Amino acid sequence: MLDLREYGKVQRAVLGVEIREVNSRIAKDAGLRNSDGVLITRVSEGGSAAEAGLQMGEIILSIDNRKINNVTKLKEQVASYRQ
């Protein structure tokens, strides 16, 4: 709502990563107890994720102690951090 009022459109954060849901195979290979989390499949050179030190193959399980169990939850959490 704030974006619509201020900018006339919804603004989205650009992380500079490609991500996918963690499935049972990925969870097993990573030694996870369940398939929660989001797998980073690609990091864009020079993007925000690269600057933060994120790497391909890492699995994001939480942000600021908030559980990330799928891509939608990750996007929602990142979107909550407006500049």
Side-chain angles (χ1 to χ4, degrees):
M1 179 87 115
L2 294 175
D3 281 352
L4 287 174
R5 286 183 181 159
E6 189 170 340
Y7 306 106
K9 64 181 179 179
V10 176
Q11 297 191 342
R12 304 224 183 262
V14 177
L15 296 176
V17 293
E18 289 181 16
I19 53 178
R20 66 177 287 192
E21 306 281 337
V22 172
N23 59 31
S24 59
R25 182 188 55 78
I26 293 168
K28 182 180 178 185
D29 290 349
L32 300 174
R33 290 182 284 148
N34 57 46
S35 58
D36 288 347
V38 174
L39 174 68
I40 299 173
T41 58
R42 186 174 156 283
V43 178
S44 299
E45 192 173 317
S48 298
E51 289 179 19
L54 296 176
Q55 298 179 1
M56 184 176 77
E58 291 184 315
I59 297 174
I60 301 170
L61 298 172
S62 66
I63 296 176
D64 285 342
N65 295 317
R66 291 187 176 106
K67 188 176 177 180
I68 301 298
N69 52 12
N70 57 44
V71 170
T72 301
K73 189 67 174 174
L74 174 73
K75 290 178 180 180
E76 287 173 1
Q77 186 63 36
V78 170
S80 72
Y81 295 98
R82 284 187 81 217
Q83 294 256 355

